[in-house]
Amino acid sequence: MTMRPPTLIPRHLPSPSAVLSSVPSLLSLSTSCGWTHYGAAEWSFLANAGEVDGWVIDDNDGSLGVDKVDNDSGGGLLLGSILRVKYNTEVDESSTSGGHIWGLGMMLVDPKARRLGLGKALLRVAMDQCYSDDGGDHDSTILLGSATDLGRLMYEKMGYENMGGVTFLGRDANDAAPQPFESECFVKLFRCEDANFENSFNMLCDLDCQATGLDRTSTLRAALEVPGSVGALAFERNRIDTPIGAAVATPMPETGSFSIGPFVGDKMTVRTLVHSLASEVAGSGNPWPSITVKIFENKVLEGELSSLGFKVKSNVCYMTHEGKSLPRDKSRHLGLIHPTLG
C-alpha cells in the first residue's frame, strides 16, 4: 500500500506547557522510532528545562490510518517532532549584543512517514523562527547538539557544518568504585532540599556561564529538581570560597541510568567531580544500573574517565548552522546535560 503524502504543516507548540501537554503523543512517536529509552519522565524534563517550544506534524489526513486527531488532548498521532531551547548569550538581559543560542533536538519522524520531506519541513520552520525571533539579521547561532549519520546529510544540505565530536560513555553503577586518588581539590555535594542550596546553585550557574558563555539557569534548576538529583562543587583545598569546577548528576528512570552532566573544570577537577558523584550514586542504593556522561570529544578527558571505569558507547557530532562557533571556553572540559540542551 502506497502512503499518501501528509500535509506538511508543522504545528507550533509555543510554550513549555504546550510541549508538556503533548507528552503522550511525543512518547508514542519516540516509541515508534525505536527510542524506547525515552519515556514520559525524560520528555517532561525536556519540556520543563527552560525556554522550550517545539513543532509537530499531525496525521490529520489519515496517512497512517487515523481519520481524526484530537490535538487538544495531546494524545493524537504524530508523524514528526522537533524541540527548541533558547539561551541568552549574556546573563545581563539588558545587553543587546548579538543573537541568542538556539538548541534544536528531538527531531523525530515516524519510520512509515520518512522520505516525504517531514524532517526538512520541521527543521526549516524551527530555523526560520529562530532568525525571525532575533530580528531576522542572522546573528543567532543554531546548534544541533547530536547529529546522527541518519540525518547528517540533510543537515549539511541545509547549511549545517560539523563543529566537532560528542562522545557518550558509560559504566555500571554497581561496579566497585575505583580506588581513591590524590587530588588537589575537594568536592562538596548539594541537593535542592539543603538550606544553603541557592548559594551553591548560584556558584554552579556562574561556573557554567563562564565556561559556556550562556545563561542556563532555568535548565540547571530543572535538572536539579528531578527527584534524586545531586550537584557538586569542587574547591581548592586552600581556598574554599571560590569553586574551580562543578557538576550535576540526574537520574533518568527510563534509560536506567544516572546522567552526570553538565560538568566543567580542568581534567583533574572533572575526574574528581565524576569520581565523587559516581561514588555517591553507587553508595546511595539507587535503582538505576548505569552511569553515563556525554563530553565534547577529548581524548585526554576520555582517558581520565576510562580510569574510573567508563567505556565509550557511541560517538556523534555536533553541528551549527553556517559553521558559527559556540561561545565556550575551550580551556575547560565540558560535559553535556542532554544532546538537545547542550
Side-chain angles (χ1 to χ4, degrees):
M1 177 179 175
T2 302
M3 189 180 67
R4 302 188 311 275
T7 304
L8 302 180
I9 304 177
R11 172 169 59 91
H12 192 200
L13 305 176
S15 64
S17 61
V19 176
L20 195 60
S21 69
S22 297
V23 164
S25 295
L26 293 166
L27 177 57
S28 178
L29 174 62
S30 59
T31 300
S32 72
C33 292
W35 291 29
T36 54
H37 56 290
Y38 272 79
E42 187 150 0
W43 276 110
S44 298
F45 166 65
L46 291 173
N48 289 313
E51 295 187 58
V52 175
D53 64 350
W55 288 264
V56 295
I57 294 180
D58 301 295
D59 186 32
N60 282 329
D61 65 354
S63 296
L64 295 183
V66 176
D67 294 327
K68 179 178 173 54
V69 174
D70 182 359
N71 291 334
D72 294 331
S73 70
L77 186 63
L78 301 178
L79 301 181
S81 70
I82 191 169
L83 295 186
R84 176 179 76 153
V85 60
K86 171 186 173 182
Y87 292 124
N88 295 317
T89 54
E90 296 282 348
V91 176
D92 180 3
E93 294 183 358
S94 65
S95 174
T96 58
S97 60
H100 297 97
I101 303 292
W102 301 92
L104 301 181
M106 301 308 292
M107 194 174 80
L108 302 173
V109 175
D110 189 288
K112 297 178 183 177
R114 289 175 183 166
R115 300 186 180 278
L116 297 171
L118 276 71
K120 185 176 181 179
L122 287 161
L123 185 57
R124 173 55 62 191
V125 73
M127 290 167 54
D128 288 348
Q129 193 63 53
C130 290
Y131 289 128
S132 175
D133 288 349
D134 279 340
D137 54 10
H138 278 229
D139 278 345
S140 308
T141 300
I142 303 176
L143 166 70
L144 294 168
S146 176
T148 63
D149 291 341
L150 184 64
R152 187 169 169 180
L153 181 60
M154 182 190 73
Y155 302 146
E156 290 174 344
K157 288 180 177 179
M158 296 184 71
Y160 286 85
E161 297 182 19
N162 184 350
M163 302 300 289
V166 175
T167 304
F168 292 68
L169 303 99
R171 58 161 278 196
D172 189 330
N174 297 317
D175 284 348
Q179 292 297 315
F181 55 88
E182 292 275 338
S183 176
E184 295 182 358
C185 63
F186 74 95
V187 173
K188 172 189 173 185
L189 303 180
F190 65 96
R191 295 176 171 80
C192 279
E193 58 269 25
D194 294 349
N196 63 344
F197 168 77
E198 290 298 332
N199 182 54
S200 298
F201 178 69
N202 288 336
M203 290 181 179
L204 165 68
C205 292
D206 286 345
L207 275 173
D208 185 76
C209 183
Q210 291 169 26
T212 65
L214 306 176
D215 177 10
R216 304 199 298 178
T217 303
S218 297
T219 302
L220 294 170
R221 188 177 292 276
L224 283 164
E225 286 179 347
V226 174
S229 292
V230 57
L233 295 170
F235 299 86
E236 293 178 347
R237 294 191 178 277
N238 59 351
R239 187 176 180 184
I240 61 174
D241 57 337
T242 304
I244 58 174
V248 176
T250 306
M252 296 294 174
E254 284 88 359
T255 63
S257 69
F258 248 87
S259 175
I260 299 180
F263 53 73
V264 56
D266 63 28
K267 67 177 183 179
M268 288 306 299
T269 301
V270 166
R271 182 183 176 191
T272 304
L273 286 163
V274 172
H275 179 275
S276 296
L277 287 169
S279 299
E280 175 71 9
V281 169
S284 63
N286 98 86
W288 297 285
S290 65
I291 302 172
T292 61
V293 296
K294 297 169 280 291
I295 64 172
F296 286 111
E297 189 175 37
N298 185 299
K299 293 299 182 182
V300 174
L301 182 56
E302 190 179 306
E304 293 293 338
L305 293 175
S306 69
S307 70
L308 300 179
F310 286 89
K311 297 180 180 179
V312 174
K313 300 298 183 182
S314 62
N315 293 279
V316 296
C317 70
Y318 73 96
M319 309 179 81
T320 64
H321 193 234
E322 300 177 343
K324 292 182 180 178
S325 60
L326 297 175
R328 68 185 185 95
D329 179 356
K330 294 185 179 180
S331 68
R332 306 188 195 212
H333 296 291
L334 292 176
L336 282 70
I337 306 172
H338 185 280
T340 300
L341 303 174

